Amino acid sequence: MKKRSAILMGILACSLAVVTAGCGGKAEAGGKAASEAESKSEGAKHVGIIFTEAGLGGNSFNDLALEGVKRAAEELGITYDAVEPKSVSDEEIIQDEMASSGEYDLVICVGAEQVDALNNVAASYPEQKFALLDASSDLENVASYSCMEQEGSFLAGALAALAGQEKIDEKINDQKVIGFIGGVDNPLINHFAAGYRAGAQYIDPEITVLIDYVGGFNDPTTAKTIANTFVEKGADIIFHASGASGMGVFQAASEKGFLAIGVNLNQNSIDPDHIMASMLKRLDNCAYHAIESVVKDTYTGENQILGLKDGGVDCTVEGSNIQVPEDVLKQLDEIKEKIIAGEIEVPSELN
């Protein structure tokens, strides 16, 4: 186990935070986490997970991916180390350190920002198994998992329009304006935007969907400013796909009195009086399935895209205090079935 200690100490020497280790227990930091990992069973599969620079917190997709790893630790008996890079440039360092150590049965990389680094590192270590979440790679030793964000977002947009039509809450006005705030303007985030707008306009072709971008995933101040601007333009429901920046949207919702829609995991409990729903992107399932494939020796380096049909995405009102009528929920279920059946074609790009 000396190599594992060396790899973790090397990461720490580069001022990178090892935030979690072991069998899904309480998050620790530094050498203590490493020593706990070394005490685990020799027969257990050992997994490393590297988050995006946005890190953990804010109930974002990094947190969701970690939930999948924790579930694997509980159900499959694996051990793991989880690392929060301080910058994008650190991600390749961590990938290379983990791969070169030979101590990891699987290295999971989260997010599209790691693709370029991973393509370099994975090509250098063809025997190392990698999993890439929320992005794709063509390398044979990289199993890529991504979701059809547009399908879950379509449901969120349809819900927003239906909520406006039926005036389900006193915070809804008569202006037929809703908003979308993305982290950055890129193809992935625009999957959310395209689906959200299409879902809203499927219900009400005359509805206006305002769209803007924060410029990053850890800037709640800018997100809050954009949300307040949307409110001035008449928006009463705002959906975000902006990582930890979305906390600024929720704060604005509380202060200005509009409804918000969360993303990736169920964020409704953060502010149940203002968050009406959350669009679910099940990266926890993706992480779990990647680990399970290594444990069960069924791993293959291939691209897997999960949608409503596969349980990869969804939309939930669970945990919100906003009362969505049963007839609205029934309509959403009908729309969901039509998407799964191919009767509704959901766009993935903004026109």
Side-chain angles (χ1 to χ4, degrees), residues 149-150 186-195 345-350:
E149 301 88 3
Q150 63 272 20
N186 68 15
L188 175 63
I189 296 303
N190 284 331
H191 290 174
F192 292 92
E345 185 174 345
V346 180
S348 60
E349 298 179 358
L350 289 169

Side-chain angles (χ1 to χ4, degrees), residues 6-63:
I7 163 69
L8 293 173
M9 291 306 294
I11 292 173
L12 291 170
C14 293
S15 299
L16 310 174
V18 177
V19 298
T20 310
C23 281
K26 182 179 178 181
E28 300 286 353
K32 181 179 180 183
S35 64
E36 288 176 350
E38 292 195 34
S39 69
K40 302 303 177 183
S41 170
E42 289 288 343
K45 297 293 184 181
H46 192 57
V47 174
I49 181 168
I50 306 167
F51 303 113
T52 67
E53 71 166 330
L56 298 168
N59 285 358
S60 62
F61 63 97
N62 282 322
D63 301 86

Side-chain angles (χ1 to χ4, degrees), residues 223-252:
K224 181 179 178 181
T225 298
I226 295 171
N228 288 336
T229 300
F230 282 2
V231 171
E232 292 173 0
K233 295 180 179 180
D236 52 12
I237 301 175
I238 299 176
F239 171 41
H240 90 91
S242 59
S245 297
M247 299 304 290
V249 177
F250 299 152
Q251 184 177 359

Side-chain angles (χ1 to χ4, degrees), residues 8-342:
L8 293 173
M9 291 306 294
I11 292 173
L12 291 170
C14 293
S15 299
L16 310 174
V18 177
V19 298
T20 310
C23 281
K26 182 179 178 181
E28 300 286 353
K32 181 179 180 183
S35 64
E36 288 176 350
E38 292 195 34
S39 69
K40 302 303 177 183
S41 170
E42 289 288 343
K45 297 293 184 181
H46 192 57
V47 174
I49 181 168
I50 306 167
F51 303 113
T52 67
E53 71 166 330
L56 298 168
N59 285 358
S60 62
F61 63 97
N62 282 322
D63 301 86
L64 192 59
L66 181 58
E67 287 304 311
V69 176
K70 289 181 177 179
R71 177 185 162 202
E74 293 175 358
E75 298 181 6
L76 303 175
I78 61 105
T79 63
Y80 65 89
D81 297 317
V83 184
E84 288 184 86
K86 290 188 176 181
S87 69
V88 174
S89 61
D90 289 334
E91 292 165 357
E92 185 165 357
I93 297 173
I94 303 168
Q95 291 174 14
D96 188 83
E97 290 276 9
M98 285 187 169
S100 64
S101 74
E103 293 296 320
Y104 293 88
D105 298 286
L106 179 70
V107 175
I108 301 174
C109 302
V110 183
E113 70 183 41
Q114 298 203 53
V115 171
D116 290 342
L118 181 58
N119 283 337
N120 291 333
V121 173
S124 299
Y125 300 95
E127 299 304 315
Q128 172 67 60
K129 295 181 177 68
F130 293 90
L132 176 60
L133 308 186
D134 209 25
S136 62
S137 170
D138 294 328
L139 294 178
E140 293 183 356
N141 59 329
V142 179
S144 301
Y145 294 82
S146 55
C147 299
M148 296 181 185
E149 301 88 3
Q150 63 272 20
E151 291 189 352
S153 299
F154 191 98
L155 294 181
L159 173 59
L162 287 167
Q165 284 184 346
E166 299 207 9
K167 300 292 187 296
I168 69 168
D169 190 88
E170 62 182 8
K171 303 177 187 67
I172 294 174
N173 58 45
D174 296 318
Q175 298 190 48
K176 289 189 176 184
V177 179
I178 60 176
F180 170 82
I181 298 177
V184 296
D185 184 358
N186 68 15
L188 175 63
I189 296 303
N190 284 331
H191 290 174
F192 292 92
Y196 182 65
R197 184 173 68 182
Q201 293 179 345
Y202 176 81
I203 299 298
D204 183 356
E206 297 182 356
I207 197 168
T208 297
V209 183
L210 305 174
I211 297 174
D212 202 352
Y213 306 88
V214 177
F217 294 96
N218 197 21
D219 185 1
T221 300
T222 299
K224 181 179 178 181
T225 298
I226 295 171
N228 288 336
T229 300
F230 282 2
V231 171
E232 292 173 0
K233 295 180 179 180
D236 52 12
I237 301 175
I238 299 176
F239 171 41
H240 90 91
S242 59
S245 297
M247 299 304 290
V249 177
F250 299 152
Q251 184 177 359
S254 178
E255 294 176 0
K256 296 293 185 178
F258 62 86
L259 298 181
I261 298 177
V263 75
N264 292 328
L265 70 168
N266 190 344
Q267 297 186 312
N268 300 342
S269 62
I270 294 175
D271 186 350
D273 292 329
H274 293 88
I275 304 176
M276 175 176 63
S278 290
M279 177 266 172
L280 304 179
K281 185 173 177 180
R282 301 301 303 271
L283 288 189
D284 55 336
N285 287 344
C286 295
Y288 181 88
H289 289 316
I291 296 170
E292 185 179 44
S293 73
V294 171
V295 172
K296 295 186 175 181
D297 198 26
T298 59
Y299 174 94
T300 59
E302 59 184 17
N303 295 328
Q304 301 183 47
I305 304 176
L306 310 179
L308 286 172
K309 181 179 180 180
D310 314 291
V313 295
D314 209 338
C315 184
T316 183
V317 298
E318 182 179 353
S320 173
N321 291 337
I322 308 301
Q323 297 301 310
V324 179
E326 285 299 323
D327 66 305
V328 170
L329 296 177
K330 182 178 179 180
Q331 288 182 72
L332 288 180
D333 286 338
E334 292 172 352
I335 291 171
K336 180 178 179 178
E337 291 305 316
K338 288 181 179 180
I339 293 173
I340 292 174

